Amino acid sequence: MSQLRSGSSQCLWTSTLFIALLSMPMTHGANYGEALTKSLLYFEAQRSGKLPPNQRVNWRGDSALRDGSDAHVDLTGGYYDAGDNMKFGFSMAFTTTMLAWSSVEMESELKTYKEHDNVLAAIKWATDYLINAHPEPNVLYGQVGDGNSDHACWMRPEDMTTPRPSYRIDAQHPGADLAGETAAAMAAASLAFAQYDAAYSAKLIGHAKDLFEFAKAYPGLYQSSITNAGGFYPSSGYQDELFWAAAWLHRATDDQTYLDYLMEEYGTGGQRTIFAWDDKFVGAQVLMAKLALERGGNTGDKLQDFKNMAEYFICNCVQMGSNNVKVTPGGLLWFLPWNNFQYTTTASFVLAAYSKYLKAGNTPINCPSGTFQAADLLYHARTQVDYILGSNPKSMSYMVGFGTNYPKSPPHRGASIVSIKQNSTAVTCNDGMNNWYNNPAPNPNVLTGALVGGPDANDAYGDARTNFQQSEPVTVTVAPFVGVLAAVA
């Protein structure tokens, strides 16, 4: 489970930091490909439902095969959110959008490392679920499982006995944020599949269009309708999801209607300090900035306003802005205490994607403290990747299964309990808690490719199942990292 609230602090890119970065052992380029491969294995470990014959993570088994039966809808499949057995639609949709953006933006790089097919498979595992979760134009199932009972229990997904209620939004119980984010996911995924499965791509666009209209017609925060989600992924607003969805729909369809929506609605989202599951304004701003760069807009154009806001965030990330993101002594972009990596990976993705846009336009970015070229942005994205993969004060890889010194006890039900393939005896709630959660031994199964939450503002990290704030892996963290790894590989 992930938490966030806004906030960023100032820190200059000083000579001390340069010295810190230079003193760290840099990750060899050849290892980026290995990390990329492993990041996609993580999504296989998070799969819910009936596993396919080509499943590579073999310590997992089939699970939650009756999801949706209470509502007479097939809600099997999709991804478990984190170390729990919950399916939260809000975070799953954002995960899907970022996987799709990674696929669309870094397609050639993914093909070079022979991971493009695996990225499409990871996206489709989510979109197949999201399609089923949207059985009618104004109905969207946004959660499976009761968060409170699930989090009170420690058991393998294959053994689950906790309640699996299905929660939905509809015209009487709206959730524009959830519908908007799912529309963005469908639209982005349609682009990912456009050249490879035209019929599936068209199906996704149809769902995206319906969901966007649903979101516009019935405003409101989704946790007002799915109250159980409020304790885990509360949304602070829905305008960012509407902007995000419109931006993706425009990119996927080239339909002027969606651009008109972005141009005519009030504002641009303004200056943002984070990009994450609860704040997608930066994502929408970056997509509009791409359009501005392609069109060569003028200062009076709202596209230019979007571009200015995108570049405000980017300049702060590369320490050349007016409100620079804090940097740890070891060189990590540090935003917030709870699962900081979720913000580091999205920021790094923005740097990598914007680097491509600048390179295509043969133009620099002008920040308050200096001018940056495309290669400079990619360099800064690479420093964050290197930190995460081991170039840090602890010389620790924060990707599970990468290198030899990595977190051995991330809090994850399936990884922390003996595999059902090894011992098919059901593990009860209490047995799981007493014999596995409280067991000081490392996890019996390696959650390959997972990213933990990350160290604190002073580069300190505690590898313990009880340390949820720093050590729990979440899908929203790995999805953007897929694209970053492909970009720097």
Side-chain angles (χ1 to χ4, degrees):
M1 191 276 288
S2 185
Q3 294 181 347
L4 108 91
R5 277 296 158 249
S6 177
S8 177
S9 52
Q10 292 74 30
C11 181
L12 293 176
W13 190 264
T14 63
S15 58
T16 304
L17 178 56
F18 274 124
I19 292 168
L21 286 172
L22 290 170
S23 66
M24 302 299 167
M26 297 302 279
T27 303
H28 295 297
N31 288 343
Y32 297 135
E34 177 194 344
L36 175 61
T37 296
K38 289 181 172 178
S39 70
L40 290 161
L41 287 173
Y42 165 70
F43 289 98
E44 294 195 17
Q46 294 300 108
R47 284 172 170 170
S48 180
K50 179 76 175 173
L51 300 182
N54 62 352
Q55 172 81 9
R56 295 176 293 173
V57 178
N58 55 22
W59 50 265
R60 281 293 324 283
D62 299 341
S63 62
L65 298 179
R66 299 190 70 252
D67 278 2
S69 58
D70 61 323
H72 307 290
V73 177
D74 179 9
L75 296 178
T76 58
Y79 291 114
Y80 296 119
D81 176 64
D84 52 21
N85 296 327
M86 291 296 299
K87 293 196 296 204
F88 292 111
F90 197 45
S91 57
M92 195 194 305
F94 182 68
T95 294
T96 308
T97 313
M98 293 308 299
L99 273 174
W101 198 358
S102 295
S103 177
V104 170
E105 217 64 78
M106 314 301 173
E107 182 177 335
S108 63
E109 294 89 341
L110 289 164
K111 286 181 176 178
T112 297
Y113 282 86
K114 296 180 171 53
E115 292 299 339
H116 185 248
D117 287 346
N118 288 324
V119 173
L120 291 183
I123 296 166
K124 194 170 188 293
W125 196 264
T127 51
D128 282 351
Y129 169 83
L130 295 175
I131 287 169
N132 287 347
H134 183 226
E136 302 170 42
N138 292 343
V139 172
L140 175 64
Y141 286 86
Q143 182 177 318
V144 180
D146 174 75
N148 299 316
S149 60
D150 178 275
H151 283 206
C153 208
W154 200 264
M155 61 198 318
R156 298 178 298 208
E158 296 86 355
D159 294 331
M160 258 192 292
T161 57
T162 48
R164 302 293 289 174
S166 306
Y167 299 90
R168 69 183 234 179
I169 56 171
D170 53 37
Q172 290 73 43
H173 311 90
D177 34 23
L178 175 62
E181 179 56 55
T182 311
M186 299 287 207
S190 77
L191 272 172
F193 284 101
Q195 297 179 54
Y196 308 100
D197 189 337
Y200 192 66
S201 178
K203 188 176 189 178
L204 289 167
I205 273 293
H207 282 279
K209 289 178 176 178
D210 284 349
L211 285 162
F212 183 62
E213 294 307 316
F214 175 33
K216 286 194 301 177
Y218 299 99
L221 298 178
Y222 88 107
Q223 68 261 25
S224 298
S225 300
I226 305 177
T227 54
N228 192 256
F232 306 96
Y233 285 96
S235 171
S236 58
Y238 55 80
Q239 191 185 40
D240 57 322
E241 281 82 18
L242 291 174
F243 274 37
W244 180 230
W248 275 114
L249 276 160
H250 179 260
R251 183 163 173 179
T253 66
D254 204 26
D255 185 334
Q256 184 68 27
T257 305
Y258 300 109
L259 188 57
D260 289 344
Y261 176 83
L262 287 158
M263 295 298 104
E264 293 164 10
E265 286 296 305
Y266 177 76
T268 59
Q271 297 177 339
R272 314 309 295 180
T273 56
I274 54 164
F275 173 36
W277 59 264
D278 185 39
D279 192 336
K280 289 97 175 193
F281 275 122
V282 167
Q285 290 165 352
V286 168
L287 290 175
M288 290 298 97
K290 178 179 186 290
L291 205 56
L293 286 165
E294 291 167 351
R295 295 187 178 185
N298 57 66
T299 53
D301 190 325
K302 192 176 176 186
L303 278 179
Q304 189 66 32
D305 295 338
F306 276 112
K307 179 174 177 286
N308 291 340
M309 292 303 100
E311 293 185 350
Y312 169 86
F313 178 78
I314 291 165
C315 290
N316 287 336
C317 287
V318 298
Q319 308 300 294
M320 300 291 278
S322 57
N323 185 28
N324 291 334
V325 176
K326 181 175 181 176
V327 179
T328 69
L332 176 70
L333 288 175
W334 201 87
F335 295 84
L336 290 167
W338 193 287
N339 186 11
N340 176 67
F341 277 164
Q342 67 179 312
Y343 314 111
T344 308
T345 58
T346 50
S348 299
F349 181 92
V350 165
L351 297 182
Y354 213 71
S355 172
K356 294 194 81 168
Y357 304 160
L358 293 179
K359 186 176 180 180
N362 193 26
T363 184
I365 178 173
N366 296 310
C367 294
S369 299
T371 299
F372 264 46
Q373 303 295 330
D376 299 320
L377 294 190
L378 193 61
Y379 166 79
H380 279 275
R382 186 176 283 112
T383 65
Q384 298 307 296
V385 173
D386 288 337
Y387 183 104
I388 291 170
L389 296 182
S391 297
N392 55 63
K394 296 181 75 70
S395 296
M396 182 179 199
S397 164
Y398 291 107
M399 174 179 278
V400 178
F402 184 86
T404 55
N405 182 25
Y406 57 81
K408 303 299 196 298
S409 301
H412 186 279
R413 269 76 166 172
S416 67
I417 301 174
V418 63
S419 169
I420 197 167
K421 304 288 185 66
Q422 187 176 335
N423 186 341
S424 60
T425 304
V427 177
T428 66
C429 272
N430 289 337
D431 286 344
M433 194 67 72
N434 296 330
N435 300 333
W436 297 102
Y437 175 73
N438 291 322
N439 190 329
N443 289 349
N445 307 305
V446 179
L447 190 63
T448 302
L451 292 183
V452 294
D456 66 16
N458 296 308
D459 301 300
Y461 177 78
D463 181 18
R465 281 185 210 104
T466 53
N467 185 13
F468 285 88
Q469 182 164 305
Q470 289 189 317
S471 64
E472 186 176 26
V474 186
T475 59
V476 295
T477 307
V478 182
F481 203 53
V482 169
V484 183
L485 287 168
V488 302

